Amino acid sequence: MTLEEKLSHLQASSMEEARAEGNAIIDNYREALEKVLKDHKEEMRWQSETRIKAEQSNARHMLNQANARTQLELKRKTGKVQVELKDKIFKEAHELAEEYMQTDAYEEYLIKSIRKATAFAPGEEMTIYINPSDEPRQAALEAATGTRLTLSSEDFIGGTRAVIRDRNILIDNSFSTLLRNEYDRFIFTGGDGIG
C-alpha cells in the first residue's frame, strides 16, 4: 500500500469513527432531550390537572356559598311574609273574637268560665275579673253564677281571669292570653318544607 493509500485509508476510517461517535453523541443528546420533554409534559399535565381540580373545588365552594346566601335570603323573605300573614290572620281572629263578644253565646261562655274557676277551688277566697268591656253584663253574670265579680283595670279583650292569692294561682281564660298563646304556637307548614 502506498503512502497515499494509507493516508486515504486512515482518513476514511477516522472519518467513519468520528461520524459514529458524533452520531452516538447526537443520539444520546436526542434521548436526553426527549426525556426532558417527556418529563416536562408530565409535569405540565400534573400541574394542569392540579389547577383544574383546585378551580373545580373553588367553583363548587363559591356555588355552595351562593346557594347558602340565596337560601338564607329566601328564608328571610319567606319568614317576613309568614309574619305578615300571621299578623293578618290573628288580626282577623281578634275581630272575630270581638264579634263573638256581642252574642248570647259569649255570655254563656263567661258563665261557664266563672263556674269552672269557682269549682277549681271551692270555698277559697278568689277574685274573678271580667274585662272592662263586659261591665254592662256584670250584674247579670253575678246573678247567674252567684259570684261577686271584679271589673279588671286592664283590657284583656274578653273572657275571665281568676286569682287565688293565698296559693299564687292565676286561672287565665282571657282572650288576649288565649290569642297570644295561639299566636306563639302557630307555625306555617306549607309544601315548601318551611315551618
Side-chain angles (χ1 to χ4, degrees):
M1 210 186 254
T2 65
L3 184 59
E4 267 185 34
E5 288 175 336
K6 285 181 181 178
L7 284 172
S8 178
H9 176 69
L10 182 61
Q11 186 180 9
S13 63
S14 295
M15 288 300 288
E16 196 175 307
E17 192 177 318
R19 201 175 292 118
E21 282 180 18
N23 286 340
I25 290 169
I26 289 169
D27 288 344
N28 286 340
Y29 192 64
R30 183 182 295 120
E31 284 176 16
L33 286 176
E34 285 175 356
K35 184 177 184 319
V36 168
L37 179 62
K38 183 182 175 188
D39 291 347
H40 180 71
K41 283 181 179 177
E42 284 293 314
E43 177 69 19
M44 290 299 104
R45 186 184 59 77
W46 179 82
Q47 285 182 7
S48 296
E49 287 176 358
T50 303
R51 195 175 303 121
I52 288 167
K53 285 178 184 173
E55 290 298 326
Q56 286 174 337
S57 176
N58 189 40
R60 276 194 297 272
H61 180 67
M62 289 171 67
L63 183 62
N64 288 342
Q65 282 184 329
N67 282 339
R69 279 193 300 270
T70 302
Q71 287 177 354
L72 282 173
E73 182 63 17
L74 182 62
K75 282 186 179 181
R76 188 189 66 75
K77 286 180 180 176
T78 303
K80 183 179 176 189
V81 169
Q82 286 181 347
V83 167
E84 289 170 0
L85 286 173
K86 189 173 173 179
D87 288 344
K88 187 176 180 183
I89 288 168
F90 278 88
K91 183 180 177 196
E92 289 177 17
H94 188 283
E95 290 168 1
L96 288 171
E98 288 178 343
E99 286 177 23
Y100 172 68
M101 289 168 60
Q102 305 308 314
T103 66
D104 293 337
Y106 173 63
E107 194 161 318
E108 290 171 19
Y109 169 80
L110 289 175
I111 291 168
K112 285 180 188 174
S113 182
I114 294 163
R115 286 180 178 158
K116 190 174 177 183
T118 55
F120 177 79
E124 290 195 47
E125 188 178 326
M126 177 186 300
T127 306
I128 299 178
Y129 294 96
I130 59 171
N131 200 59
S133 61
D134 292 325
E135 185 177 11
R137 294 187 169 97
Q138 185 172 358
L141 291 170
E142 288 177 340
T145 60
T147 306
R148 185 174 167 276
L149 302 173
T150 304
L151 200 62
S152 174
S153 58
E154 177 191 345
D155 184 355
F156 48 79
I157 304 173
T160 62
R161 284 181 175 161
V163 177
I164 306 170
R165 296 202 194 290
D166 293 341
R167 292 169 54 189
N168 288 327
I169 294 175
L170 169 65
I171 303 168
D172 193 349
N173 290 314
S174 66
F175 287 2
S176 62
T177 299
L178 295 171
L179 285 169
R180 186 176 62 247
N181 290 345
E182 286 304 313
Y183 184 92
D184 292 343
R185 281 194 295 263
F186 187 87
I187 295 174
F188 284 94
T189 52
D192 61 359
I194 297 171

